[in-house]
Amino acid sequence: MSQRTYNQLWADAQAELTQLLAAELPPEPLCPEKDRVVFFQRLAVLYVRYLQVFRDLEVAYDQVVHPQKRVVIRANLDGVIGRLLELKNEMVEKEFSEYHYMDDVLHDLKLTPGDLEIPIPLHFISECSKDVKQRKEMVSKILSTMENTEGPQLDMGKEMSREDAVKLMQVVERARQGRLRAKLNQESRNMNRMYRNKDPQVADVESAAVCIQKFWKGYVKRKATKTDREQEEILLGMAIDPKYDATLPSEITAQENESHTRVVQQEHEELYQKSIVVIATSLKEVEGHDISQTMKDQIRQWFFECRDATGTFPDYPEDEDGGSALIFAPKSPQQLMEEIAAKEDEEANAKPKGKDEKGKKDRSKTEEEEEEAGLKMLPSAFLADLVVGNKMYDDYWRNRDESKNYNQKHEVELVKEEKRKDIEAEIRLQVDEQMRQELAEWKLSVDKEKVGKAKANAKKKKGSKSGKKKKKEKDLTADRTLESLCKELTGQGLLKQPDHVKMKDFLGDYSYLGTTLRQNDIEPMPSLSDVRQVLSLYAVLPLGSQFVHEKAPLIKAILLAGPAGVGKKMLVHAICQETGANLFDLSPLNTVGRYPGKSGLAMMLHIVFKVARLLQPSVIWIGEAEKMFYKKVPKEEKDLDPKRLKKDLPKFLKLIKGEDRVLIIGTTDDPLSADIKGLCKMYSKIILIPRPDYGSRFILWKQLIQKHGGKLTTALNLSSLSRISDGYTPGHLVRVIQTVLTKRRLLQQAKRPLTAVEFIESLARIDPVFQEEEEALKSWYAKTPLGKKRIKAATGQDEEEASAKPAKGKDAKKKGK
């Protein structure tokens, strides 16, 4: 694809974004919606449309090479990601479920289930700052050195690599085939000798030869028929041509072009940054004096206009209020003086609100809510940014003629416009200091006014704004370097290297019956594809972008609950890989014997959270999270003290703010053994991961067999294999495939294709996840806060009515007493 194509893709995305902003910010606010279903439908349509804009902008940002365009695309991309997270959060609050099914929306918008997949922006890792990259390199070096020194030493003289083992097996197989071929040749020579000597057994040999010929002809005919049938299925579109299984030359060329585009992109960015420095220096030298003089003349004129209008010289605006920028606003001197005086009166009269005022406000709010009954969209923190970014596109790029900029390099005039604003702001600060002094001299000489009191009042005002100082968290390791702390955590096994897996490696199919089941009042179990999408929204996108994390709904801790083998640990590692996050392991069993005592525990948590903030984004993983909140600690685990972090960890969790890209992820196979109140208080998001359904099992068998070297043929009935493996998790399937697909079996595939029967024996040796276990997890999830709300909504009971009923019961008990 050429740059023109990507520019057109950006233009289409901006056109769709313009329509979305018009729908979200109409001239008159929309009336509250009383029907919850209609309101959710509106949210779902906006969500899907924003998601398509997100996908287009992500591709455009990855491939457009014009550096100034990429600035605008990036601003809009971050805004769209943030708005997408806001809509997801609102859908959860309105439908009381982490999973949503939008088949009807996809049908109306002519989209496919694949269009709901959340793309992972590539710039999350590629565009880290230099400091972050240096820290990442430092951590990777520490981890690699620790692994080399502490890991098992391999004896190359005794152990054999996988490649050598494969070659050896191939040699053995060829030798075996050679011996068989020699034996067959010897038998045929013996038969010929017997025929020439007219042995008495010749008649029997001839009849045997006829049987062999018949069998051979039948075999050839069946093979030809099978080949014709396969060709017919390919012609009718019922099967895929095997040649398309391999990577096509066009795909290879496209991948090379994309990588080359990123190289050009980086070159243009470096030229752009150098140009900014050169142009800024030139503008300061050439235009700086004129800008300063013009500002001073305008400010002096404002002095005299104010004195002519009011009889006295004005007070100079403070830097916090904008300084002389207020003077250049399109307002009369009288209006400006009134605004400044009004601000001073507000600051002077600002007092803490009493209980009566608060009560009145609360009453007025409830009255307004009663008057405007219905559902409204929550206020957005990203729509204003999207409006600004969309305006930048309209002003600079929508109708810009770029016929002469074939190479898509930066435009000097745009750089000058941008830097003039920065230089003016910088010069204004200097001019303000000079003009404040000049104004003081005018007041002293003309109005005989002393400035001392005004300065003292200004200092008092500044001091009053600060208020009470917040207590800062004590730094227990202020005298230590980051590198030493990382080495200590690595040595203790708390800082680990995440596995090389991606979110796309968490295989699963789309849930095609979700909407139908909910329409029939049946709560569906989510598919593995739904789990992947939810974690991309809750974990990957916020951790990958600082701007999004600071303004989006804050999620501090996520709990992944599900049977063993569904991929919870894999998802934790995938989140780290997609965002470049560091992995800290605070699992109860991993902290046994480390940092003993209360002081040691405080030191451990302090170091972990300090390093996590300095190396953000960071993921703190708590495996077997149920152990922290055991209802009753088992006898065999009492010495391990699994509830050690129960009191202190939630305190550190409260210290995580919007600017800290730190996420706690807990995983549990047995949440029923834990106190549900403690878990729900610790983890704001609880994601239930189920057993894979039929569609997900079909994809898992297909992809995993190919990944382990197996070849898919018509002899392997994946449909039957997927059907009989109901109840088995992805972890079970991996174990079965590794057991069956040995090196020897892989070499035999050419003559003996894989069949479903080979996997059944290994599958039968493993106990599946039975329906009762999944039902127990569902009933446990129904006791979580969101699960309770979902049940009340499904039964048609409003949340307000449900909360009012128990209150009445309590009052009745009190009266009875």
Side-chain angles (χ1 to χ4, degrees):
M1 293 173 70
S2 63
Q3 286 296 302
R4 183 179 298 177
T5 307
Y6 290 115
N7 285 329
Q8 185 59 46
L9 182 66
W10 178 32
D12 294 341
Q14 289 291 155
E16 177 68 10
L17 182 59
T18 302
Q19 294 180 9
L20 284 168
L21 292 175
E24 289 221 70
L25 301 170
E28 296 182 3
L30 296 172
C31 297
E33 181 59 57
K34 296 183 179 180
D35 191 340
R36 188 177 293 273
V37 176
V38 174
F39 185 77
F40 178 79
Q41 195 73 5
R42 185 192 305 169
L43 288 175
V45 171
L46 286 173
Y47 173 85
V48 175
R49 291 178 65 186
Y50 269 111
L51 180 54
Q52 305 317 305
V53 175
F54 170 30
R55 296 171 70 89
D56 291 343
L57 287 178
E58 198 278 323
V59 174
Y61 184 73
D62 182 55
Q63 290 297 307
V64 167
V65 299
H66 197 299
Q68 290 157 309
K69 289 180 181 178
R70 297 185 76 246
V71 172
V72 181
I73 296 174
R74 176 63 183 273
N76 287 330
L77 179 59
D78 286 342
V80 168
I81 292 174
R83 186 61 186 142
L84 198 68
L85 298 181
E86 288 179 335
L87 290 170
K88 175 65 177 180
N89 179 64
E90 196 157 356
M91 286 194 294
V92 172
E93 292 186 359
K94 296 302 185 291
E95 205 180 28
F96 310 119
S97 175
E98 301 291 357
Y99 301 103
H100 311 290
Y101 307 100
M102 296 169 277
D103 306 340
D104 47 352
V105 177
L106 290 178
H107 183 267
D108 293 341
L109 297 177
K110 303 295 186 293
L111 299 173
T112 63
D115 293 319
L116 284 181
E117 195 68 35
I118 307 297
I120 308 299
L122 298 175
H123 68 266
F124 280 177
I125 296 177
S126 62
E127 294 190 4
C128 294
S129 63
K130 290 183 179 179
D131 294 338
V132 173
K133 286 181 179 178
Q134 289 174 357
R135 291 174 179 176
K136 300 288 184 189
E137 290 175 359
M138 177 194 70
V139 173
S140 62
K141 285 180 181 178
I142 292 172
L143 290 169
S144 61
T145 53
M146 294 296 290
E147 287 176 359
N148 291 334
T149 54
E150 296 180 2
Q153 298 296 325
L154 299 178
D155 187 353
M156 298 305 293
K158 294 181 180 180
E159 297 192 9
M160 186 181 298
S161 66
R162 179 179 176 85
E163 292 78 8
D164 293 339
V166 172
K167 289 179 181 177
L168 180 59
M169 291 297 295
Q170 290 173 349
V171 171
V172 172
E173 185 68 19
R174 283 197 296 269
R176 190 177 67 84
Q177 291 175 359
R179 288 196 300 272
L180 289 173
R181 195 178 298 109
K183 190 174 181 181
L184 288 172
N185 292 335
Q186 183 63 35
E187 290 292 333
S188 64
R189 284 195 295 270
N190 291 338
M191 291 176 67
N192 291 332
R193 193 180 300 111
M194 289 168 61
Y195 182 76
R196 285 195 301 270
N197 296 334
K198 295 183 180 181
D199 195 274
Q201 299 177 349
V202 168
D204 295 336
V205 172
E206 288 179 350
S207 61
V210 171
C211 291
I212 293 172
Q213 288 176 358
K214 288 181 179 179
F215 179 79
W216 177 253
K217 288 180 180 179
Y219 169 75
V220 172
K221 191 68 176 175
R222 286 191 297 272
K223 189 173 181 181
T225 304
K226 182 181 177 182
T227 304
D228 294 340
R229 187 183 295 114
E230 291 176 353
Q231 292 296 328
E232 184 180 4
E233 288 179 353
I234 292 171
L235 182 64
L236 295 174
M238 298 171 63
I240 300 175
D241 196 333
K243 67 180 182 181
Y244 294 119
D245 291 340
T247 306
L248 297 176
S250 57
E251 293 178 345
I252 296 173
T253 304
Q255 292 172 0
E256 291 175 351
N257 290 338
E258 287 180 0
S259 59
H260 175 69
T261 298
R262 294 189 187 98
V263 173
V264 175
Q265 195 179 84
Q266 190 171 359
E267 292 175 355
H268 287 193
E269 180 66 26
E270 291 174 357
L271 289 173
Y272 173 58
Q273 295 300 331
K274 291 178 182 178
S275 177
I276 288 176
V277 176
V278 173
I279 290 173
T281 305
S282 175
L283 285 175
K284 275 185 183 180
E285 294 175 354
V286 176
E287 302 180 9
H289 178 73
D290 294 339
I291 292 173
S292 175
Q293 197 61 40
T294 303
M295 284 184 183
K296 289 179 180 178
D297 293 341
Q298 291 175 343
I299 293 170
R300 288 192 188 100
Q301 184 180 356
W302 176 70
F303 289 165
F304 296 118
E305 286 179 358
C306 287
R307 193 174 191 285
D308 293 341
T310 61
T312 58
F313 284 109
D315 291 331
Y316 205 92
E318 296 293 334
D319 290 335
E320 297 172 357
D321 299 328
S324 58
L326 289 176
I327 299 171
F328 303 131
K331 296 176 182 178
S332 64
Q334 188 68 29
Q335 290 175 334
L336 191 58
M337 291 292 293
E338 289 174 358
E339 282 188 9
I340 295 172
K343 282 184 180 179
E344 291 177 354
D345 292 340
E346 285 178 7
E347 291 173 0
N349 297 329
K351 292 180 180 178
K353 296 170 185 175
K355 293 182 180 179
D356 296 335
E357 292 179 2
K358 286 184 179 179
K360 289 178 183 177
K361 284 195 173 182
D362 293 338
R363 288 173 194 167
S364 62
K365 282 183 180 179
T366 53
E367 288 173 2
E368 288 177 9
E369 289 175 359
E370 288 176 0
E371 289 175 4
E372 298 182 0
L375 299 170
K376 280 186 173 182
M377 299 278 284
L378 297 174
S380 171
F382 292 94
L383 282 177
D385 298 318
L386 285 173
V387 170
V388 173
N390 200 47
K391 189 176 184 304
M392 289 176 65
Y393 171 76
D394 289 339
D395 293 345
Y396 291 101
W397 303 107
R398 183 184 292 276
N399 300 316
R400 197 174 191 87
D401 181 17
E402 293 188 280
S403 57
K404 296 181 180 179
N405 190 7
Y406 178 77
N407 293 324
Q408 291 291 288
K409 293 185 179 180
H410 66 274
E411 300 189 25
V412 176
E413 290 303 319
L414 284 179
V415 178
K416 287 183 178 180
E417 289 181 22
E418 293 170 3
K419 295 313 295 180
R420 275 196 188 96
K421 295 176 184 177
D422 297 339
I423 291 170
E424 285 178 3
E426 185 181 338
I427 292 175
R428 180 176 286 114
L429 293 175
Q430 300 172 1
V431 169
D432 285 350
E433 291 181 6
Q434 297 173 6
M435 296 311 293
R436 278 196 188 92
Q437 186 64 32
E438 187 172 325
L439 178 61
E441 293 173 0
W442 278 105
K443 286 183 177 182
L444 186 62
S445 60
V446 178
D447 293 339
K448 308 296 182 183
E449 183 183 339
K450 294 183 179 179
V451 192
K453 291 183 180 179
K455 285 186 178 179
N457 291 333
K459 287 180 182 178
K460 284 181 182 178
K461 286 180 185 177
K462 288 182 181 178
S464 62
K465 283 183 181 179
S466 62
K468 293 182 180 179
K469 292 182 179 179
K470 294 182 180 179
K471 291 184 179 179
K472 291 184 178 180
E473 183 186 356
K474 289 183 179 179
D475 190 354
L476 303 177
T477 55
D479 57 339
R480 296 186 57 183
T481 62
L482 176 61
E483 186 175 359
S484 68
L485 294 175
C486 290
K487 286 182 178 178
E488 180 177 331
L489 291 177
T490 306
Q492 294 289 342
L494 301 179
L495 177 58
K496 296 183 174 181
Q497 187 78 38
D499 297 338
H500 291 280
V501 291
K502 299 284 187 178
M503 291 298 290
K504 64 180 181 182
D505 297 329
F506 186 78
L507 304 172
D509 198 10
Y510 179 76
S511 180
Y512 296 95
L513 297 176
T515 303
T516 305
L517 291 173
R518 277 196 173 167
Q519 288 174 352
N520 291 279
D521 298 329
I522 301 172
E523 186 62 24
M525 286 298 285
S527 69
L528 299 185
S529 173
D530 298 327
V531 174
R532 184 174 62 242
Q533 291 178 28
V534 165
L535 283 176
S536 296
L537 289 167
Y538 289 165
V540 177
L541 296 183
L543 283 178
S545 172
Q546 183 71 32
F547 176 79
V548 172
H549 193 274
E550 289 180 0
K551 303 181 74 173
L554 182 59
I555 297 174
K556 298 181 180 181
I558 300 174
L559 179 66
L560 306 181
V566 292
K568 300 182 292 295
K569 183 179 176 181
M570 175 187 176
L571 284 169
V572 174
H573 289 269
I575 290 168
C576 294
Q577 284 294 336
E578 297 287 9
T579 59
N582 295 285
L583 180 62
F584 299 84
D585 186 359
L586 285 183
S587 303
L589 297 182
N590 191 50
T591 57
V592 174
R594 294 183 171 88
Y595 297 94
K598 289 185 178 180
S599 59
L601 177 62
M603 177 63 74
M604 178 181 71
L605 292 175
H606 169 77
I607 294 175
V608 167
F609 277 83
K610 178 180 178 180
V611 175
R613 287 193 186 98
L614 292 173
L615 295 176
Q616 59 180 282
S618 297
V619 170
I620 299 175
W621 174 44
I622 302 175
E624 297 179 308
E626 76 279 357
K627 294 182 183 295
M628 269 181 60
F629 300 95
Y630 264 146
K631 295 175 184 175
K632 185 179 180 181
V633 180
K635 291 181 180 179
E636 61 272 13
E637 295 186 24
K638 282 187 177 180
D639 295 337
L640 303 179
D641 194 11
K643 300 172 72 173
R644 186 184 178 204
L645 299 176
K646 182 179 178 181
K647 291 183 179 179
D648 292 344
L649 187 60
K651 295 177 183 177
F652 280 84
L653 179 64
K654 291 179 181 178
L655 300 176
I656 298 176
K657 305 300 180 185
E659 59 269 16
D660 301 323
R661 285 188 290 162
V662 178
L663 180 65
I664 296 177
I665 304 180
T667 57
T668 175
D669 302 339
D670 184 23
L672 284 76
S673 63
D675 176 29
I676 192 169
K677 290 184 180 179
L679 276 177
C680 295
K681 190 175 180 182
M682 173 80 181
Y683 299 98
S684 58
K685 292 289 183 183
I686 298 177
I687 308 299
L688 190 63
I689 305 178
R691 305 175 302 170
D693 54 10
Y694 171 80
S696 296
R697 292 196 301 274
F698 188 90
I699 291 176
L700 283 164
W701 279 115
K702 181 179 179 181
Q703 299 290 338
L704 291 174
I705 288 174
Q706 290 180 323
K707 182 179 179 181
H708 287 80
K711 295 180 180 179
L712 303 179
T713 63
T714 53
L716 180 59
N717 192 337
L718 288 178
S719 181
S720 298
L721 201 56
S722 304
R723 183 67 63 186
I724 64 172
S725 57
D726 186 14
Y728 291 92
T729 65
H732 292 152
L733 303 190
V734 170
R735 283 168 54 190
V736 169
I737 291 170
Q738 289 175 344
T739 303
V740 175
L741 297 183
T742 60
K743 296 174 182 177
R744 182 182 181 86
R745 184 65 186 89
L746 291 176
L747 294 171
Q748 295 172 348
Q749 289 184 97
K751 292 187 176 181
R752 187 161 64 90
L754 292 172
T755 60
V757 178
E758 298 178 63
F759 297 93
I760 294 175
E761 184 179 354
S762 299
L763 201 63
R765 295 195 188 101
I766 302 173
D767 292 331
V769 179
F770 295 102
Q771 186 70 25
E772 293 79 9
E773 185 176 346
E774 188 168 274
E775 291 298 327
L777 280 172
K778 287 177 70 174
S779 60
W780 171 84
Y781 185 77
K783 297 176 184 177
T784 63
L786 196 63
K788 290 179 181 178
K789 291 179 181 179
R790 179 65 197 167
I791 291 174
K792 291 172 185 175
T795 54
Q797 187 180 14
D798 290 337
E799 188 182 354
E800 295 177 2
E801 293 176 4
S803 60
K805 282 186 178 179
K808 288 180 182 177
K810 288 180 183 177
D811 293 339
K813 285 182 182 179
K814 288 180 181 178
K815 287 178 183 178
K817 287 180 181 178

